[in-house]
Amino acid sequence: MGLITGLKILLLSKYMPNFIQGTLVTLQMAIIIMCVGTMIGTVGALVKISQNHFFRALISIYVELFRNTPCLVQMFIIYFGFPSIGINFDPYAAALIALTINCGAYSTEVMRAGIQSVNVQQIKAAHSLGINKLQTFRYVIFPQAFRAIYFPLTNQFILTTLGTSLAAAIAVEELTYKTMEAGSLSFHEFEAFLIAAIIYLTLAQILTNIFRYFGIFILKIKTLQRRK
Amino acid sequence: MSIDDILFLLKGTLVTVEISIIGLIGGVFVGFIMGLGQVSRNILINTVARVYSAFFRSIPIMTWLFLIFFGIPLFTGLTVPLLVSIGMAFTLWAGAYMSEIVKAGIEAVPDNQWKASKSLGMNYIQQMYYVILPQIVKIVLPPATGFFVGLIKDTSTAYILACRELLRAGRLVGQRTTLFFPVLLMVAAIYFIICYPLSLYTQRLERKRRIN
C-alpha cells in the first residue's frame, strides 16, 4: 500500500505548480495577517488598559464577539452576507479581512494579558522614581510585557498560518484549495492532501523554529542589557 | 424566512453540538493517553507521543478532514458514514491539543509530590492515580474548557465535507431564501450563544486558579 501511495504521489508531480502557487498564496496571506493583526492587537491592548471606559467597552465587545464565533462564519458573512447590503468583496479580500480581524482579537487578548502580568509594584516604583507615564511604559512595562507576550503571540501566528486554510471554503486559491483542485483533477485526493499535509507540516515547523530561535536571541539581548 | 428554515438551522446546530461532543470525548481520551505518554520516561513511548502531538498540531484540521475522509475508504475499503470520518478527524486532532494540556498539567505538579509518594512505596501507576491525577484536574480544567470553545468553533470546518452542520445549514437556508445576511448573522448568533457562556466559565476558572 505504501508503495502504491508513493507511485501515485509521483503521478501528482504534474500538479506541482499547483502546490507551489498555493503555498506562496498561503504564505503571503499569513504574513499580511500577522503584520496587520499585531497592529490591531497592539492598539486594542493599549485601549483595553487605558482609562477610557467607552473605548474599553468597545474593544471588549470586539474581542468577545470575534473570539466566540467561528472565523469561517465571519468569512461567510463578509463574502456572502455583505453583497446583499451592497458591499462586494472578492474571495481573497474577504478571507484576509476575516482572518485579520480574528487574529487581531486574539492578539489583543494575548497582549493585554502580557501587559497586565507586569506587577503593579513595578509601576508604583517607577512612579516614585519620578519618571513619566510614557517612560514607565517604555522602560518598565514594555521590556517585561514583551517577554510575557512573545511566545504566546508567535504561537498565535502559527495557528493563524494554519488557519489560512479556512479560506479554501470561499475558493481563495491558497494551498488547501489548490490541493482540492489537484485532487479532483487527478482523482488521487488522498495523495494530494498528503502532499499538502507535508507542506503545512514543514511550514509550521520552520515558523516554530524561526520564532523560537529569534525569541531566544532577542530575549537574551534584553537580559544582557538589564545586567549592565 | 419560515419556521421550517429555523428548524433546519436548529437541526444543523444539533449536528454541530454532536461533532463537538464526539471531538471532546474522543479528544480527552486520546489526549489523556498521549499526555501520559509525553511525560513517560520510556524513550520510545515519549517520542511517539511527542511526534504525534507535533504532527497533528502542525497540520490544519481542514487537511485532516480530507485526509481521513479520503483515507478510510482507500486503506480499508469500507464506506463509513460522513459523521464517523469527521468524528475521527476531530478526535485525533483534539487529542493532540489535549495531550499538550495534560502534559502541562502533570508537569505543573510539584516534584515533591512525586518524591513523597515514592517514599510511601507507591509504584508509578499508584502515584499517577492517587497523587498526580487528582491534582491536575484543577490545573487542566481552564485550558481544556478554553480548548473546547475553540473546538466548537472549528467544527464549522466540517462544512467543507458537505456535512449538514450549522454553517452548511445556514448557507442552504440563505440560498433558499436569498437572505444571506440575516441568516448568517443568526448562525453567528447561535455559535455565540453556545460559546460565550463557556468562555465566561473558562475565565472564571482561570481567575479562581490564580487566586489559589
Side-chain angles (χ1 to χ4, degrees):
Chain A
M1 196 55 98
L3 185 67
I4 297 169
T5 309
L7 285 175
K8 280 184 186 160
I9 285 178
L10 278 183
L11 282 178
L12 276 167
S13 58
K14 198 168 84 184
Y15 298 97
M16 264 317 145
N18 260 29
F19 291 109
I20 294 169
Q21 256 172 24
T23 311
L24 288 179
V25 175
T26 291
L27 270 179
Q28 190 190 1
M29 287 175 79
I31 291 169
I32 296 173
I33 296 163
M34 282 177 208
C35 294
V36 185
T38 312
M39 284 183 224
I40 297 175
T42 315
V43 175
L46 288 179
V47 171
K48 251 199 133 171
I49 57 164
S50 74
Q51 309 291 330
N52 189 318
H53 287 287
F54 175 70
F55 286 114
R56 227 167 52 192
L58 215 63
I59 292 290
S60 295
I61 291 170
Y62 157 67
V63 169
E64 293 304 331
L65 272 184
F66 283 88
R67 281 180 57 192
N68 287 300
T69 50
C71 191
L72 204 54
V73 174
Q74 294 154 19
M75 218 180 270
F76 272 50
I77 290 176
I78 293 171
Y79 185 59
F80 293 112
F82 275 8
S84 67
I85 54 169
I87 310 167
N88 283 298
F89 289 106
D90 61 51
Y92 185 71
L96 264 189
I97 293 171
L99 287 165
T100 307
I101 42 182
N102 208 54
C103 178
Y106 278 96
S107 312
T108 301
E109 218 20 57
V110 167
M111 291 191 185
R112 182 204 53 81
I115 294 172
Q116 287 187 341
S117 75
V118 178
N119 200 328
V120 187
Q121 303 286 336
Q122 301 266 338
I123 298 161
K124 282 184 186 159
H127 196 70
S128 71
L129 285 175
I131 57 181
N132 66 28
K133 256 188 168 176
L134 203 69
Q135 284 172 323
T136 309
F137 188 78
R138 166 70 187 81
Y139 295 106
V140 180
I141 302 175
F142 180 74
Q144 296 183 59
F146 186 76
R147 272 160 188 281
I149 291 168
Y150 184 81
F151 283 105
L153 191 66
T154 53
N155 216 9
Q156 187 55 43
F157 284 164
I158 290 159
L159 289 180
T160 305
T161 309
L162 298 179
T164 57
S165 64
L166 294 178
I170 57 169
V172 177
E173 301 206 324
E174 45 71 72
L175 185 53
T176 304
Y177 185 77
K178 283 285 183 189
T179 310
M180 283 158 72
E181 210 176 65
S184 52
L185 283 175
S186 64
F187 299 106
H188 297 311
E189 283 97 349
F190 180 77
E191 290 77 7
F193 277 100
L194 212 57
I195 297 178
I198 294 167
I199 296 175
Y200 275 120
L201 189 70
T202 320
L203 273 184
Q205 291 305 321
I206 290 175
L207 274 180
T208 310
N209 283 313
I210 288 177
F211 284 138
R212 181 185 297 152
Y213 289 113
F214 188 64
I216 290 170
F217 179 68
I218 15 184
L219 294 182
K220 226 178 218 163
I221 282 176
K222 287 260 189 278
T223 8
L224 287 176
Q225 269 179 356
R226 225 169 46 168
R227 272 180 201 153
K228 272 183 209 164
Chain B
M1 222 161 89
S2 64
I3 194 88
D4 276 353
D5 292 331
I6 292 173
L7 278 180
F8 194 70
L9 281 184
L10 290 180
K11 233 184 253 172
T13 313
L14 214 64
V15 177
T16 290
V17 171
E18 241 172 77
I19 301 173
S20 311
I21 289 174
I22 294 172
L24 177 71
I25 294 172
V28 167
F29 183 71
V30 173
F32 193 68
I33 294 171
M34 286 296 166
L36 284 180
Q38 283 208 43
V39 292
S40 158
R41 277 180 218 116
N42 183 322
I43 294 172
L44 184 69
I45 296 172
N46 195 301
T47 315
V48 168
R50 274 171 201 277
V51 169
Y52 172 86
S53 156
F55 195 63
F56 272 85
R57 287 184 309 128
S58 300
I59 296 169
I61 179 66
M62 210 80 142
T63 311
W64 280 119
L65 284 169
F66 278 115
L67 275 179
I68 289 170
F69 179 70
F70 292 119
I72 292 177
L74 191 70
F75 287 100
T76 61
L78 299 168
T79 37
V80 292
L82 185 59
L83 205 59
V84 172
S85 48
I86 290 175
M88 213 169 131
F90 276 104
T91 296
L92 295 174
W93 182 75
Y97 280 90
M98 274 310 185
S99 79
E100 288 296 318
I101 294 172
V102 171
K103 184 194 96 177
I106 295 175
E107 281 176 350
V109 174
D111 207 30
N112 293 338
Q113 300 281 333
W114 287 98
K115 286 180 188 154
S117 53
K118 189 152 203 184
S119 71
L120 289 175
M122 290 182 174
N123 63 27
Y124 188 74
I125 295 165
Q126 284 173 325
Q127 278 180 313
M128 269 293 170
Y129 187 76
Y130 292 111
V131 182
I132 308 300
L133 293 182
Q135 297 188 55
I136 73 162
V137 173
K138 247 189 223 158
I139 307 171
V140 163
L141 211 53
T145 43
F147 176 70
F148 185 46
V149 175
L151 181 67
I152 294 170
K153 292 192 297 165
D154 283 328
T155 55
S156 61
T157 51
Y159 166 90
I160 203 129
L161 290 184
C163 171
R164 286 251 169 108
E165 42 73 65
L166 184 50
L167 183 58
R168 173 68 67 176
R171 175 94 202 272
L172 291 173
V173 171
Q175 268 164 353
R176 196 156 57 207
T177 57
T178 66
L179 293 169
F180 266 118
F181 199 55
V183 171
L184 285 175
L185 281 184
M186 219 162 116
V187 168
I190 295 175
Y191 273 113
F192 188 79
I193 290 167
I194 301 173
C195 293
Y196 191 56
L198 277 170
S199 290
L200 286 180
Y201 182 60
T202 310
Q203 282 168 20
R204 225 185 79 191
L205 283 176
E206 269 166 5
R207 217 171 302 140
K208 228 169 157 184
R209 214 199 121 198
R210 219 171 297 140
I211 293 165
N212 285 347

